[in-house]
Amino acid sequence: MISMVDKQQIIQYWHVEKKSEFEIASVLGISRNTVRRYVKSFNRALEQSRASGLPDLVLSDFLLTVPKYNAKNRGKRKLTTEIIQEIDRHLQENNEKRRTGKSKQIVKGIDIWELLQASGHDIGYTVVSDYIQKKKLGNQEAFIRQDYNPGENCEFDWCDIKLTIGGVERKLYLAVFTMCKSNYRFAVIFQRQDTLAFMEAHIAFYDHLGGVALRMNYDNMRVAIADFVGTHEKKPTVALLQLSTFYGFSFRFCNIYCGHEKGHVERSVEYIRRKAFARRDLFDSLSMAQNYLETVCNELNGKKLTGSTFTIGELMAEERSLLLPHPGRMECFMLQEASIGKYATFSMGTNHYSVPDHLVGQKVDVKVYANQLKIYHQGVVLCTHPRDYGSGQWVITLDHYLRTLEQKPGALHGSAALKQATWEVRQIYESAFRENARDFIEVLQYCKSHEISHEHLWRVYQQLLVKCPSDISVDKFKALLGNNPQEMVTTYPDTEITRFALDLLTEVGEILHKN
């Protein structure tokens, strides 16, 4: 096929320069029959333009028409009816596999071509590929653009992320909410994609908004759908019913394998994960990762929405006035009864959590949240622990064992309780009480009975280092801690020795903290 330039050159040589068909063919290096065909077409167009009285229109239409061959009646020599039926059969099997959840086991175009070759059909891969592509184009789905009302719709979805927390690579999960009108985004990190995380994500989102969207949109996630009833009906989980009843919102599910029906959050999941954790994936703790994520979301919500002069946050401020009123914070937990073993711990899964040592042999009630555990005994809160999702972990609080350590002070030095204590407590023990564990335990008991924090204990220790570094005792700790212990402000004389001692103490503390 000649190009548009060749066509223009033929007309130029023939009509303007008066060259013969032979000369034109020689100059352009094309067949004389081709030259003759376009010369005849030009002459016909010229005659029609003179007869019609619209020479500009007819000639322009001819000169601007791209050359093409007439392949209307040309059939496919290799793509026979038998081969078409065979390809269609494989495509139908693919559709059935997608419908039944086997989308990763479909055959691709290259596989269909290989099967045709194995059946003895002489056909090229490009012919098969072109036919499959045309079938796909003929079945393309049309989308209906939505115009949402403010405060009416919100979408929710999960995604997984891999972060290095405290030097250990972990697989975590991101719960993402997107308001449909303003495109306002909110995300929370969880260690599991379970029912408690699903509920706590909603609670955190509504607390953050100070209101509730009228309707929530979900795909077919197991934490939201308990069962499928028939082809289109879905039975919601108890957790979703509890949330919707407490907060007053309605909900809608997408069709099966149609996550794009909630396109806002589908894009938000990828967008937030990329903007936040493609740039940084190393954190000292999970709380630091969550704080970083909140900062990123605030930055994204501070950008202007496409086509708007307002930022996403400003548009969300308008939506807030149209949200359902926030009814308060919903409690979501699983209540379990646990027995306390000889180490003053109870087990949950393969992990162990400590309680005060006087409860050995008794039972406690445990409220299990997504990220923490609350332990009760006879209706009174004993303590809380961060929930550990590892395997075979011991989560121990030193204060829980002070009664036993008073009788067995020698057990303190190698105990897991001391190793898991705060770095301030460990520093005080190593520096001042390593050879006298009984006095150290007495100091901790005094702090516990007077509700003195370990941070305040550390500040008193710094003061004692300045005043009497070589003679630190239990009585001196008690004297300073007992002097308005919750509001004491530590002051130091501004001398060169004081400054040197404080700088040295700070360096030692930082080294211990890193180790």
Side-chain angles (χ1 to χ4, degrees), residues 175-443:
V176 181
F177 295 85
T178 305
M179 294 296 295
C180 296
K181 181 65 176 180
S182 62
N183 217 33
Y184 187 85
R185 299 179 175 96
F186 177 83
V188 189
I189 300 174
F190 289 96
Q191 300 186 64
R192 284 188 182 175
Q193 189 177 314
D194 57 12
T195 298
L196 285 177
F198 174 73
M199 297 181 73
E200 289 198 16
H202 283 71
I203 293 168
F205 178 57
Y206 297 140
D207 284 350
H208 173 77
L209 284 188
V212 180
L214 276 69
R215 185 172 72 173
M216 293 295 303
N217 300 320
Y218 305 97
D219 61 15
N220 297 278
M221 56 185 68
R222 60 183 179 83
V223 291
I225 296 179
D227 198 7
F228 291 87
V229 183
T231 307
H232 301 289
E233 293 296 323
K234 297 146 183 127
K235 182 180 178 182
T237 59
V238 173
L240 179 55
L241 290 174
Q242 289 175 341
L243 283 169
S244 63
T245 301
F246 185 88
Y247 287 104
F249 64 84
S250 60
F251 52 85
R252 183 185 72 85
F253 298 114
C254 297
N255 289 317
I256 299 176
Y257 303 114
C258 293
H260 59 267
E261 291 185 359
K262 50 177 181 55
H264 281 78
V265 76
E266 292 289 330
R267 290 189 295 271
S268 289
V269 163
E270 184 275 334
Y271 187 61
I272 290 177
R273 178 168 53 187
R274 174 166 50 86
K275 288 295 184 182
F277 301 117
R279 303 176 184 180
R280 180 183 174 188
D281 59 4
L282 301 175
F283 301 93
D284 291 337
S285 65
L286 192 59
S287 60
M288 290 181 63
Q290 180 60 45
N291 292 337
Y292 170 72
L293 176 62
E294 291 175 5
T295 301
V296 172
C297 287
N298 290 335
E299 291 175 355
L300 297 178
N301 291 328
K303 295 183 178 181
K304 289 184 178 180
L305 189 64
T306 304
S308 173
T309 58
F310 300 98
T311 66
I312 293 173
E314 291 169 343
L315 294 173
M316 185 63 232
E318 296 180 5
E319 283 201 89
R320 276 193 174 92
S321 61
L322 299 172
L323 297 174
L324 295 172
H326 188 261
R329 185 176 181 84
M330 176 183 173
E331 282 279 327
C332 73
F333 56 85
M334 293 187 299
L335 186 62
Q336 297 184 7
E337 187 180 61
S339 299
I340 307 304
K342 64 180 181 180
Y343 291 109
T345 61
F346 65 90
S347 60
M348 177 165 292
T350 61
N351 297 326
H352 298 261
Y353 301 86
S354 70
V355 297
D357 50 8
H358 67 274
L359 294 173
V360 171
Q362 300 187 44
K363 293 183 181 294
V364 294
D365 295 317
V366 183
K367 283 187 177 180
V368 183
Y369 298 84
N371 292 317
Q372 72 169 350
L373 306 176
K374 283 187 179 180
I375 298 91
Y376 292 77
H377 182 63
Q378 297 179 352
V380 178
V381 179
L382 291 175
C383 58
T384 62
H385 283 294
R387 187 175 175 185
D388 197 309
Y389 285 93
S391 177
Q393 303 300 310
W394 292 72
V395 182
I396 291 177
T397 301
L398 177 58
D399 283 356
H400 291 166
Y401 297 89
L402 296 180
R403 187 178 70 96
T404 301
L405 287 171
E406 186 179 12
Q407 303 170 12
K408 306 174 183 179
L412 175 65
H413 184 75
S415 66
L418 180 62
K419 291 181 179 179
Q420 293 189 30
T422 61
W423 70 272
E424 294 94 342
V425 170
R426 286 185 281 115
Q427 166 66 3
I428 294 172
Y429 170 74
E430 292 291 340
S431 301
F433 296 101
R434 183 178 178 85
E435 304 302 327
N436 195 344
R438 191 179 299 278
D439 285 354
F440 179 65
I441 295 166
E442 186 177 347
V443 171

